[in-house]
Amino acid sequence: MADITQVILERRPNGVPQASDFRLESTPLPTPGEGQILIKVHYLSLDPYLRGKISGRHMSGGVEPGSVMAGETVGEVVESHSPEFAVGDTVHSFSGWCSHAAVDASTARKVQSHGLPLSLALGALGMPGLTAYAGIKRLADIRANDTFLVSAASGPVGSVAAQIARLAGARTVGIVGSPQKSDWILDEARFDDAINYREEDLRDGIRRTCPDGVDVYFDAIGGDVLEAVCEQLALQARVILCGLLAQYNSKERLMGPPPGLIIRARAHMHGLVVYDHEDLRAEMEAKNSAWIHSGDMAYNEDVADGLENAGEAFARQMSGKNFGKSIVRIS
Amino acid sequence: MADITQVILERRPNGVPQASDFRLESTPLPTPGEGQILIKVHYLSLDPYLRGKISGRHMSGGVEPGSVMAGETVGEVVESHSPEFAVGDTVHSFSGWCSHAAVDASTARKVQSHGLPLSLALGALGMPGLTAYAGIKRLADIRANDTFLVSAASGPVGSVAAQIARLAGARTVGIVGSPQKSDWILDEARFDDAINYREEDLRDGIRRTCPDGVDVYFDAIGGDVLEAVCEQLALQARVILCGLLAQYNSKERLMGPPPGLIIRARAHMHGLVVYDHEDLRAEMEAKNSAWIHSGDMAYNEDVADGLENAGEAFARQMSGKNFGKSIVRIS
């Protein structure tokens, strides 16, 4: 029987991950047991939270060196030992970085395309889309004419969040790290303004683009970016914390913004974990897919081809060099 | 005409204020102008936020060396040039540390005793009471069986907040710094448990008294206390920030708790400034005074006699040695 391909975590990265922290391995096609399905993987999702997992510190558990690297995928059922799934079904699972996997049917769910590319189930219609949707719907309390600021603005969480905020009446500003990303958020995702922190002092950029202060900040970064924004919050600002990119590559635990900044602004700071908002998934998929079809929501993907390039693509993402949702297409 | 007494800020304190940072001055009785009232002061309020003012950094403005020290007072109108006030009215004002003051009538308000000592208008029925009431009513979202934790628990904000939380169904735990304070919050203010951080490691104490985590934390401290509590937040915890005692005596701007702790708990952190909640004052006075009369709310005061002892009383307060609401009684 044909061998399959897996990517193994070779070692815990030191700082920004390198392609060499991962290695390819061939292994025999797994045999699904009772209650399991065999999946042929089409798309692998690369996400910042995986950096926490390979340090051994993430709320969803760590990945040990020598193990198959963790990650969400979209694939096709090629053998089913579960009444819930038929051969040919498209499924989302946590199969990890591999060409095929046998997984418990209870950990997989069927994916609808909504007439859009299946890879979107890992981006604007998947976990990042749900993070953005739940954050805006449940925590951001967007009011008309709010100034909405987001970091990592060309990524799948930031760009979707800002576009939903715009549709709710907010003025949107994005923080990005390249002219290409700045152009995309302005031209395609229709942000009102952009700050390229590599070309402009971040604090100056916030003052320039948010002259009346920041009403809502959607943060995936932490560290100095979060502090800089908190210095310029409007009264009654809302700050949504959903990631710690500034910390993932570091051994230090970075502290939060000075509480005096939160008090001064009478701000409301909310921790967001997407797992809590599963009940919104169907609503999110319906809304986001409709907005994509109508042209109200843009998305972009950074696609690498083949598992052999997954490590390098992940290293690129973790140094901020990806542009859009990082996906690996597996032939 | 008789001289009056004022307390002048001699210098900006270095670290914990000393009595010698203040000096007494005699000055002629002021003459109230049109729209002003002359007040004979009965009680002066000592409050932690004054430490920020004498560093020159507080949102309500600073106090310059050589000026009369700022503070809230309760007194009696002895001369009125305003149709709003009659001689004999009891008033609250921001007259500062002085035996008499001429103030604009627009900055004063009449005080009701509610059948209780007038000094309470500076404590459980005044600004601290309103801070506590608004924090619980508008931000804490108390649910039955919540574990409510408060620092500076024998002080007027912390003790009132916890007692309102208890009346709303919460289990209450207080952080204090002496056995005397611990006894008072347990026996008089009827907290369910107490942590004396001078006798027990704070983190151990939180684990011991809040085994299921902290649902609501009311913070007037910041710094390491805030961080320690955030390490043990329950899911969906609420953290109310209303002061920065840990920072007032320091030149450093202390950072906040790591955002990862907020995310992990899906916590909600709110900045509270009492000035925003003036609309709740009448309701707060009615409720708190009724609870005091019925025995459901205890209060305690740390009373110094005479303006000549105000500096020392303030120094005592800022080193945590006061016990209860710090008041100076002016004969």
Side-chain angles (χ1 to χ4, degrees):
Chain A
M1 198 168 250
D3 276 1
I4 67 160
T5 307
Q6 293 178 328
V7 181
I8 306 293
L9 176 65
E10 181 76 12
R11 67 183 72 82
R12 297 209 188 284
N14 189 5
V16 177
Q18 308 295 316
S20 58
D21 295 325
F22 305 93
R23 66 176 160 81
L24 279 184
E25 190 176 82
S26 284
T27 191
L29 189 73
T31 306
E34 189 52 35
Q36 289 200 317
I37 52 179
L38 182 66
I39 297 171
K40 175 170 164 41
V41 175
H42 293 318
Y43 297 102
L44 162 64
S45 180
L46 302 180
D47 296 287
Y49 78 91
L50 295 173
R51 181 64 186 86
K53 287 180 85 77
I54 59 179
S55 292
R57 54 167 195 221
H58 189 264
M59 63 176 80
S60 64
V63 176
E64 294 303 310
S67 305
V68 177
M69 179 60 190
E72 294 171 55
T73 59
V74 166
E76 184 186 337
V77 176
V78 294
E79 187 180 334
S80 175
H81 297 262
S82 159
E84 306 290 320
F85 293 93
V87 169
D89 281 349
T90 304
V91 291
H92 173 281
S93 77
F94 297 88
S95 72
W97 297 18
C98 55
S99 63
H100 297 72
V103 306
D104 289 342
S106 62
T107 66
R109 63 178 168 76
K110 287 185 206 171
V111 167
Q112 283 189 271
S113 75
H114 301 280
L116 293 165
L118 274 177
S119 56
L120 284 185
L122 300 171
L125 301 180
M127 186 269 285
L130 186 56
T131 305
Y133 190 86
I136 299 295
K137 168 127 188 159
R138 295 219 159 123
L139 301 173
D141 187 19
I142 300 282
R143 302 156 202 178
N145 303 315
D146 269 354
T147 293
F148 176 94
L149 178 67
V150 64
S151 50
S154 64
V157 176
S159 66
V160 171
Q163 291 176 98
I164 301 174
R166 185 197 75 223
L167 291 163
R171 204 182 135 258
T172 59
V173 179
I175 302 172
V176 293
S178 79
Q180 182 192 29
K181 291 174 181 176
S182 176
D183 287 349
W184 186 84
I185 68 168
L186 292 171
D187 298 342
E188 303 296 324
R190 292 155 58 190
F191 281 57
D192 293 286
D193 217 332
I195 302 165
N196 178 348
Y197 69 87
R198 292 191 211 266
E199 285 184 350
E200 176 180 26
D201 175 80
L202 178 60
R203 286 167 170 82
D204 290 345
I206 299 169
R207 260 185 293 275
R208 176 179 64 75
T209 58
C210 308
D212 300 321
V214 175
D215 294 298
V216 178
Y217 175 52
F218 209 105
D219 182 61
I221 307 280
D224 185 57
V225 177
L226 177 57
E227 185 179 356
V229 177
C230 286
E231 290 170 3
Q232 299 187 50
L233 293 177
L235 285 181
Q236 298 289 341
R238 288 127 274 155
V239 177
I240 296 155
L241 306 175
C242 77
L244 291 168
L245 269 168
Q247 182 174 302
Y248 292 143
N249 291 324
S250 159
K251 285 187 177 134
E252 273 181 280
R253 186 170 78 156
L254 295 173
M255 298 297 285
L261 302 178
I262 308 304
I263 296 175
R264 188 178 68 183
R266 293 78 147 152
H268 308 279
M269 185 175 267
H270 304 286
L272 168 60
V273 172
V274 67
Y275 312 142
D276 297 342
H277 302 283
E278 202 52 44
D279 60 304
L280 285 178
R281 184 181 291 279
E283 178 184 321
M284 176 279 291
E285 285 189 31
K287 295 266 192 164
N288 285 8
S289 62
W291 283 324
I292 293 171
H293 279 297
S294 67
D296 284 316
M297 184 178 283
Y299 66 90
N300 67 343
E301 295 181 326
D302 186 318
V303 182
D305 264 303
L307 277 174
E308 64 276 21
N309 295 310
E312 194 203 329
F314 185 60
R316 214 148 42 82
Q317 176 180 39
M318 292 312 301
S319 54
K321 290 180 186 146
N322 65 312
F323 173 37
K325 168 63 196 163
S326 286
I327 297 277
V328 179
R329 184 162 44 203
I330 303 170
S331 48
Chain B
M1 199 171 251
D3 275 0
I4 68 160
T5 307
Q6 294 177 327
V7 180
I8 306 295
L9 177 64
E10 179 78 9
R11 67 182 71 82
R12 296 209 188 283
N14 190 4
V16 178
Q18 307 296 315
S20 58
D21 295 324
F22 303 93
R23 66 177 160 79
L24 280 185
E25 191 177 82
S26 283
T27 190
L29 188 72
T31 308
E34 189 52 37
Q36 289 199 318
I37 52 178
L38 182 67
I39 298 171
K40 176 171 163 41
V41 175
H42 292 318
Y43 296 102
L44 161 64
S45 179
L46 302 180
D47 295 287
Y49 77 92
L50 295 173
R51 181 64 186 87
K53 287 179 86 76
I54 60 179
S55 293
R57 55 168 196 221
H58 188 265
M59 62 176 80
S60 65
V63 176
E64 294 303 310
S67 304
V68 177
M69 179 61 189
E72 293 171 55
T73 60
V74 166
E76 184 186 338
V77 176
V78 293
E79 187 180 333
S80 175
H81 297 264
S82 157
E84 307 291 320
F85 293 93
V87 169
D89 281 349
T90 303
V91 292
H92 172 282
S93 78
F94 297 88
S95 72
W97 297 18
C98 54
S99 63
H100 297 73
V103 306
D104 289 341
S106 62
T107 65
R109 62 178 170 77
K110 286 184 206 174
V111 166
Q112 283 188 272
S113 74
H114 301 278
L116 293 165
L118 274 177
S119 56
L120 283 185
L122 300 171
L125 301 180
M127 186 270 285
L130 185 56
T131 304
Y133 190 86
I136 299 295
K137 169 126 188 161
R138 295 221 159 119
L139 301 173
D141 188 19
I142 301 282
R143 301 157 202 178
N145 303 316
D146 269 353
T147 293
F148 175 94
L149 178 67
V150 64
S151 50
S154 63
V157 175
S159 66
V160 171
Q163 292 176 98
I164 301 174
R166 184 197 77 224
L167 291 162
R171 204 182 136 258
T172 59
V173 179
I175 302 171
V176 293
S178 79
Q180 182 192 30
K181 292 175 181 176
S182 177
D183 288 348
W184 185 83
I185 69 168
L186 293 170
D187 298 341
E188 303 295 324
R190 293 153 58 190
F191 282 57
D192 292 287
D193 216 333
I195 302 165
N196 177 349
Y197 69 87
R198 293 190 209 266
E199 284 184 350
E200 176 180 26
D201 175 80
L202 177 60
R203 286 166 171 83
D204 290 344
I206 300 168
R207 259 185 295 276
R208 177 180 62 76
T209 58
C210 308
D212 300 321
V214 175
D215 294 297
V216 178
Y217 175 52
F218 209 105
D219 181 61
I221 306 282
D224 185 57
V225 177
L226 176 57
E227 185 179 356
V229 176
C230 285
E231 290 170 4
Q232 299 188 52
L233 293 177
L235 284 182
Q236 298 290 340
R238 289 127 275 156
V239 177
I240 296 156
L241 307 175
C242 78
L244 291 168
L245 269 169
Q247 182 174 302
Y248 292 142
N249 291 326
S250 158
K251 285 188 178 133
E252 273 181 281
R253 186 170 77 155
L254 296 172
M255 297 299 284
L261 301 177
I262 309 303
I263 296 174
R264 186 178 70 185
R266 295 77 146 147
H268 309 277
M269 184 174 268
H270 305 285
L272 168 60
V273 172
V274 67
Y275 312 142
D276 298 342
H277 302 282
E278 202 52 44
D279 61 302
L280 285 178
R281 185 181 291 279
E283 178 182 321
M284 175 280 291
E285 286 189 31
K287 296 267 192 162
N288 285 8
S289 62
W291 283 323
I292 293 171
H293 279 297
S294 68
D296 284 315
M297 183 178 283
Y299 67 90
N300 67 342
E301 296 181 326
D302 186 318
V303 183
D305 264 304
L307 277 174
E308 65 275 20
N309 294 312
E312 194 202 329
F314 185 60
R316 213 148 43 82
Q317 176 179 38
M318 293 311 301
S319 55
K321 290 181 186 146
N322 65 311
F323 172 37
K325 167 65 196 162
S326 285
I327 297 277
V328 179
R329 183 162 44 204
I330 302 171
S331 50

